[in-house]
Amino acid sequence: MYYAIYAEDVENSLPLRAQAREGHIARLKEMEAAGRLMLAGPFPAVDSEAPGDAGFTGSLIVAQFDSLEAAREWAEADPYNAAGVYQTVTVKPFKPVLPASMAQ
C-alpha cells in the first residue's frame, strides 16, 4: 500500500537541509531503485522551482510500505528528521486513483 509522508520544516531550515541532504536523498534513491517510490520533493517557500535563500517549507513523499507502522518508522529515521529540519511529520495511507497507471 502507498503512504503519504507530509513534513513541515522549522523556520530557516535551509542550513539544516544542506547538512543532511546527502543521506536523505540516498534513502529516497534506495526506495526508488526498489520500485517503491511514487514521488518525493520539497515545497519551495516562494513561487519558484529554485527558491534560493528563501528555502523550503516542507516535503512530501509518497511511497509503498508494508504497513502504516513501517512508513512511520521509515519517516522517523529520515536524516532530515534527525537533523531537526522537520517540526512535524504526518504519515497517512494514500490511495492512488489517477493516473490510471498508478491505481492499484
Side-chain angles (χ1 to χ4, degrees), residues 8-19 45 52-58 83-87:
E8 293 187 46
D9 284 17
V10 297
E11 291 284 326
N12 303 311
S13 64
L14 200 55
L16 299 172
R17 280 179 168 268
Q19 292 172 5
D53 290 340
F56 301 94
T57 62
V85 172
Y86 298 145
Q87 66 179 337

Side-chain angles (χ1 to χ4, degrees), residues 8 10 15-16 19 30 53 59 64 76 80 91-92 94:
E8 293 187 46
V10 297
L16 299 172
Q19 292 172 5
E30 286 176 14
D53 290 340
S59 300
Q64 288 180 323
E76 287 174 14
Y80 277 1
V91 182
K92 293 184 176 188
F94 180 80

Side-chain angles (χ1 to χ4, degrees), residues 1-92:
M1 180 166 184
Y2 282 97
Y3 295 86
I5 301 169
Y6 176 82
E8 293 187 46
D9 284 17
V10 297
E11 291 284 326
N12 303 311
S13 64
L14 200 55
L16 299 172
R17 280 179 168 268
Q19 292 172 5
R21 187 173 192 278
E22 186 176 329
H24 173 77
I25 296 297
R27 292 178 83 228
L28 291 169
K29 286 184 177 182
E30 286 176 14
M31 188 176 292
E32 180 183 32
R36 297 176 38 219
L37 183 65
M38 178 187 289
L39 64 89
F43 298 111
V46 295
D47 190 11
S48 172
E49 287 189 29
D53 290 340
F56 301 94
T57 62
S59 300
L60 175 65
I61 299 167
V62 179
Q64 288 180 323
F65 293 92
D66 291 335
S67 66
L68 179 58
E69 185 59 31
R72 286 182 177 147
E73 288 174 5
W74 189 91
E76 287 174 14
D78 191 297
Y80 277 1
N81 214 15
V85 172
Y86 298 145
Q87 66 179 337
T88 62
V89 178
T90 302
V91 182
K92 293 184 176 188

